[in-house]
Amino acid sequence: MKIWKCVPVTLAAAAALVLAGLTSPAAADGGGGDSGVIRVQDRCDPATFNAAVGPGTCIPAPEGGVVWTKFLAALAANPAGVLAERESRGWRFHETDVTIRAGQDLVLVNSGGEVHTFTQVPQYGLGCVPPLNGFFVNLNQPPYAGDCDAAFATSAVLPGTTIHVKNLAKGSYKFECLVHPWMRTDVTVR
């Protein structure tokens, strides 16, 4: 449960990135596929998420409205399906398979109300939030082997911001949200 309590600290580090100009307010509008734009979505209800997890967990967003208990119920009802679909009640990376050209930026636009990460991983597995990992531990998901604090500091996508991932060499990559580990995208750079 340690990392769950560390999330507000790492969110402060992510906010510092915004203030330093390393991220900018969202300007793109979705897309994906070969455009290199991935919309990061969630539908958190601020009142219930903030009461359950802590103040500031969810800010109002245009696509909000899923209450905390329904969010958890959807995960509990079919965790294998959530992983297979890479989506649960609107929590997803809008594009799950993206191809870009070498030199082209990969652009992440967070249109939701929560902080997400877009973390490059060697293999898909569990994230950094034990209560959410608990839904998937019996599905042969390996634990995240990296440093969660460092991953949040370098790959957090705050609500209403756009992140540009630059300089990906030709090859195949896996990116995952370490808060919501079913949110996954395969990226091919050609």
Side-chain angles (χ1 to χ4, degrees):
M1 194 84 162
K2 180 178 182 272
I3 191 63
W4 187 253
K5 294 182 189 236
C6 290
V7 170
V9 173
T10 59
L11 297 183
L17 291 173
V18 172
L19 294 175
L22 297 176
T23 63
S24 60
D29 67 347
D34 290 337
S35 74
V37 177
I38 300 170
R39 195 160 62 119
V40 182
Q41 293 180 285
D42 65 67
R43 295 189 174 149
C44 63
D45 168 66
T48 60
F49 274 69
N50 293 340
V53 181
T57 299
C58 174
I59 65 168
E63 298 176 14
V66 176
V67 299
W68 176 254
T69 53
K70 289 189 177 185
F71 169 73
L72 295 178
L75 295 175
N78 187 5
V82 167
L83 287 179
E85 294 294 321
R86 299 181 178 192
E87 192 267 338
S88 180
R89 297 217 40 143
W91 274 255
R92 66 184 181 145
F93 293 139
H94 195 276
E95 295 292 332
T96 59
D97 189 12
V98 176
T99 301
I100 60 173
R101 297 177 317 280
Q104 181 181 359
D105 287 3
L106 190 59
V107 180
L108 287 291
V109 180
N110 188 344
S111 63
E114 288 188 280
V115 172
H116 298 275
T117 75
F118 192 71
T119 309
Q120 185 179 340
V121 295
Q123 64 181 343
Y124 292 128
L126 299 175
C128 293
V129 181
L132 295 180
N133 285 344
F135 293 100
F136 309 105
V137 293
N138 294 326
L139 299 174
N140 297 322
Q141 297 296 297
Y144 177 64
D147 179 320
C148 288
D149 287 334
F152 274 81
T154 59
S155 67
V157 187
L158 299 173
T161 64
T162 297
I163 302 285
H164 291 258
V165 178
K166 298 177 177 287
N167 302 319
L168 289 175
K170 289 183 180 180
S172 298
Y173 301 89
K174 294 179 184 313
F175 288 90
E176 179 174 354
C177 177
L178 296 179
V179 179
H180 313 94
W182 60 91
M183 295 174 63
R184 301 170 174 182
T185 295
D186 296 304
V187 175
T188 302
V189 181
R190 54 179 159 86

